């Protein structure tokens, strides 16, 4: 949802967006996982999804494809934490 928000913010800056959140469920290793903000870090597959989304936000932000100034400091802080 973050990348979606940043894309709309860049191309439609005056638009008000309303989001409805949900808890997605995934079938992985023959088990169903419901991913929530309280447990996403417990499953390797959801960690990979979150990390991939972070990398896409960073890449598209640096290319100028999405609004980046709003999250640049957060991206830099995450990068400092992982080094």
């Amino acid at each position: 949802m973050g990348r979606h928000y940043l894309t709309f913010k860049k191309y439609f800056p005056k638009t008000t967006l309303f989001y409805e959140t949900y808890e997605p469920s995934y079938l992985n290793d023959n088990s169903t996982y419901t991913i929530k903000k309280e447990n996403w870090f417990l499953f390797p597959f959801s960690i990979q999804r979150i990390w991939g989304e972070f990398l896409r936000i960073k890449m598209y932000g640096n290319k100028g494809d999405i609004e980046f100034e709003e999250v640049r400091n957060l991206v830099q802080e995450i990068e400092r934490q992982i080094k």
Side-chain angles (χ1 to χ4, degrees):
M1 192 160 61
R3 188 161 39 107
H4 177 261
Y5 167 78
L6 295 170
T7 301
F8 269 81
K9 180 128 178 151
K10 176 170 177 85
Y11 295 102
F12 306 102
K14 295 180 181 178
T15 300
T16 301
L17 300 173
F18 297 95
Y19 288 96
E20 184 171 336
T21 60
Y22 70 100
E23 297 171 349
S25 294
Y26 298 96
L27 180 62
N28 194 28
D29 299 328
N30 296 321
S31 298
T32 301
Y33 300 97
T34 300
I35 306 301
K36 304 176 183 185
K37 65 181 179 179
E38 297 87 10
N39 73 355
W40 67 267
F41 53 87
L42 298 176
F43 309 108
F45 113 97
S46 57
I47 293 170
Q48 291 171 352
R49 290 180 64 91
I50 297 295
W51 185 246
E53 197 56 38
F54 167 78
L55 293 175
R56 283 185 285 279
I57 287 172
K58 179 182 167 187
M59 178 182 68
Y60 295 139
N62 284 327
K63 284 176 48 182
D65 293 341
I66 62 175
E67 163 58 39
F68 196 53
E69 290 309 309
E70 185 173 319
V71 295
R72 184 181 302 277
N73 290 338
L74 179 59
V75 168
Q76 291 171 343
E77 180 59 29
I78 291 169
E79 289 182 319
R80 277 193 291 275
Q81 295 290 325
I82 61 172
K83 290 182 181 182

